[in-house]
Amino acid sequence: MLPKCYSLHRAIQIIHLSLGMHIDIISLVPELMQSAFAHSIMKRAQASKVVEVNLIHLREYASGKQKQLDDYAFGGGAGMVMMIEPIAACINDLKSKRNYDEIIYMSPDGELLNQKMCNQLSLMTNIIILCGHYKGVDERVREHFITREISIGDYVLSGGELAAAVLSDAVIRLLPGVLNDETSALSDSFQDNLLAPPVYTRPAMYQEWAVPEVLLSGHSANIDKWRHEQSLQRTQKRRPDLLK
Ligand code: ADE
């Protein structure tokens, strides 16, 4: 069930492991993301220096007394637009310290996030993620600074922060050394375009509901076969589009 290019992918990841991944997330409300990175697997990944996540408050780059970050849209219309100056100052400052592989803008009109994109991003060393708010950012930011726009689904969030946390989590958990069981990311849903098979734990019998016998057999070839069949059936039933 390994993706075809998996060993090459892993080799590149291991080279990157020695460098560690660095993610800068630029936001008007970084507090919204603090908890997502302060617990469990994300916390461990940072503690073990596999990844460094830097939450940046865009306000630090605003100028003038007002520290203005947004303004009315030229041409009128409801909603404020995030101004180019503070974003440009922030990105230029970051770029003076590191070379970035991607400068990503979280936006509902970006490419739809999937596992393949997460695998690709997990091979990168330095990335910036810009979170939008209000009506979005001045288009010139997208034209001149952003290298990639990513959406986490066809719905509109009130800001890009939760989307940035989703993207970062999905990427960071793929970095070698992050998951306890090195192989567990391999059996995730979508890793080979199949949904994951059902899983069970003790008790083997709950009321009259039994765990499938094959899983208790200790016969690993039969278990692998059963899991693969279950994955196929589940994908056929729930997400036939993935099999095309
Ligand atoms: N910002 C607002 N909605 C979003 C979405 N669906 N994906 C990414 N960023 C967003």
Side-chain angles (χ1 to χ4, degrees), residues 157-178:
L157 300 165
S158 51
E161 285 75 12
L162 298 180
V166 166
L167 172 65
S168 305
D169 184 302
V171 170
I172 292 170
R173 65 188 291 287
L174 297 173
L175 301 175
V178 171

Side-chain angles (χ1 to χ4, degrees), residues 111-177:
E111 284 172 90
L112 211 48
L113 183 64
N114 59 31
Q115 191 62 45
K116 192 172 161 211
M117 286 158 70
C118 295
N119 292 345
Q120 286 168 356
L121 290 170
S122 76
L123 303 178
M124 299 188 172
T125 307
N126 299 315
I127 60 175
I128 293 176
I129 305 177
L130 173 65
C131 306
H133 250 270
Y134 317 123
K135 274 279 165 212
V137 296
D138 186 306
E139 189 64 20
R140 290 165 292 184
V141 170
R142 298 166 77 160
E143 284 169 7
H144 300 288
F145 291 101
I146 299 299
T147 60
R148 193 161 189 177
E149 303 198 2
I150 297 180
S151 163
I152 63 159
D154 289 338
Y155 41 81
V156 181
L157 300 165
S158 51
E161 285 75 12
L162 298 180
V166 166
L167 172 65
S168 305
D169 184 302
V171 170
I172 292 170
R173 65 188 291 287
L174 297 173
L175 301 175

Side-chain angles (χ1 to χ4, degrees), residues 16 55 214-215:
H16 278 261
L55 302 180
V214 62
L215 296 179

